Amino acid sequence: MRASKMAAEGKQNREMHISGAEGIYSVSEISRAVKRYTERALEHPRGSADNIVITIEKISEKIAKIPCLQLATLECISPYEAKKIIIKKLAELGISPKALNTAFKILESSKAMRGASLVLMQSGKRAEPDKQRGVRVSRLGIKGPDKALLKKRLSKIKINTETVREALVLASKIASAPDIIAEVCISDDPDYTTGYIASGTTGYLRIPNIKKQGSLNGGRVFFVKENSDTGKIIDYLERKPVMITVKRQGNGKHF
Ligand code: WAQ
Ligand code: MG
């Protein structure tokens, strides 16, 4: 699902991204999912959508299983501190200052993209073909006992919300993509101020107070290896169907 609305007058009738969502469902679940996505677009904190597009595609390909990333919440009291944490953690993963600079420009911009930016980890160059739209990760989900287990684990630490579940599932697919070193995410919802960084090495690290309450800024950046085949990465993110699995015994790097 993708939803947008026309920006206020004086902004050249630009379309403003409101909300997007994707999932893998069985046929019997489709009408419920469509209803939920529609309601989400109409009751969104970024504003009520005036254009909602829902695409439903049959998946005939085999669906790969991907482990859920381990989750932790860091201590962070301000956007200033968040930036320091992000820089430190990502530098440890080999992300260059140039690449971090590119990333912050995207994340701090008021023009929220619908998808994510791909940033080369050394040169800091952007590699997504459409810089306004970005790359939209799709064809992913969690179901049955895995979903129940995830809900139970998140409930124990009092963060069992759809926002956290969807972000963790998305981050798990992204971390499993070839040549993606790390991801950083800030919600574009004005009232959601917890973001995260994620990678196969660090797991999913939640960062409270990553942005100021009320800000419409946000976005996602995927740092990729400098000489990677970005076409292949994008194809995996957009097209490869994956289901997230949760370990029966939650320990180690996976949830
Ligand atoms: N593929 C690529 N980029 C996406 C996708 C996707 N499927 N979904 C969202 N984005 C990008 C897009 O640029 C949005 O503007 C931006 O991310 C933020 O999306 O554990 O709610 O859906 O408590 O607003 C993090 C949860 C919530 C942290 C993130 O993101 C926690 C969130 P939003
Ligand atoms: Mg949002």
Side-chain angles (χ1 to χ4, degrees):
M1 177 276 288
R2 63 185 159 90
S4 61
K5 70 180 229 179
M6 284 319 227
E9 265 177 57
K11 291 195 177 167
Q12 302 142 347
N13 280 353
R14 213 176 71 85
E15 254 198 325
M16 174 190 171
H17 166 73
I18 294 291
S19 168
E22 37 280 303
I24 298 179
Y25 301 96
S26 59
V27 173
S28 65
E29 293 170 315
I30 291 177
S31 58
R32 231 190 72 185
V34 168
K35 183 168 182 280
R36 275 197 296 119
Y37 285 161
T38 309
E39 285 165 358
R40 183 189 296 198
L42 292 173
E43 293 156 16
H44 204 275
R46 284 174 66 78
S48 183
D50 50 35
N51 183 29
I52 305 170
V53 180
I54 295 181
T55 307
I56 304 168
E57 294 170 300
K58 178 173 179 170
I59 295 179
S60 310
E61 217 182 302
K62 192 168 181 287
I63 301 178
K65 287 184 176 163
I66 298 293
C68 187
L69 289 175
Q70 184 61 274
L71 172 148
T73 303
L74 304 177
E75 250 178 70
C76 175
I77 55 160
S78 67
Y80 175 76
E81 198 191 342
K83 198 163 176 173
K84 286 206 296 192
I85 294 172
I86 295 166
I87 291 171
K88 179 168 183 289
K89 296 268 179 204
L90 294 180
E92 280 168 12
L93 294 172
I95 312 296
S96 75
K98 266 190 197 161
L100 286 166
N101 200 28
T102 308
F104 283 116
K105 270 198 203 134
I106 296 160
L107 297 169
E108 288 165 1
S109 157
S110 58
K111 284 186 260 160
M113 293 159 73
R114 177 146 71 80
S117 175
L118 247 56
V119 173
L120 304 183
M121 66 184 287
Q122 293 300 330
S123 64
K125 287 195 183 117
R126 291 175 67 169
E128 71 278 14
D130 182 338
K131 309 265 180 303
Q132 258 175 17
R133 174 187 181 272
V135 174
R136 188 83 200 176
V137 184
S138 191
R139 301 196 168 195
L140 73 173
I142 184 164
K143 64 174 174 38
D146 291 290
K147 189 167 186 184
L149 208 49
L150 178 63
K151 284 183 168 180
K152 199 173 138 199
R153 295 230 172 102
L154 293 174
S155 289
K156 264 194 200 154
I157 47 175
K158 299 190 172 68
I159 53 167
N160 181 31
T161 65
E162 192 158 52
T163 305
V164 175
R165 289 197 305 269
E166 282 187 359
L168 184 56
V169 165
L170 190 61
S172 299
K173 178 173 182 186
I174 293 158
S176 76
D179 288 349
I180 291 190
I181 303 302
E183 174 197 358
V184 53
C185 166
I186 301 180
S187 173
D188 56 10
D189 301 8
D191 53 2
Y192 204 89
T193 56
T194 300
Y196 68 85
I197 52 179
S199 73
T201 330
T202 59
Y204 177 96
L205 300 176
R206 305 178 68 235
I207 306 176
N209 303 306
I210 200 166
K211 74 168 186 181
K212 269 204 228 117
Q213 180 81 29
S215 161
L216 287 167
N217 301 2
R220 274 183 166 87
V221 172
F222 308 156
F223 297 95
V224 302
K225 280 195 189 150
E226 192 67 26
N227 296 311
S228 53
D229 180 346
T230 49
K232 207 168 123 187
I233 300 176
I234 294 169
D235 186 59
Y236 178 89
L237 295 171
E238 293 185 338
R239 312 286 311 165
K240 176 82 184 166
V242 308
M243 276 290 178
I244 304 307
T245 61
V246 178
K247 278 225 180 101
R248 300 298 168 256
Q249 297 261 273
N251 56 19
K253 223 184 281 170
H254 302 305
F255 211 43

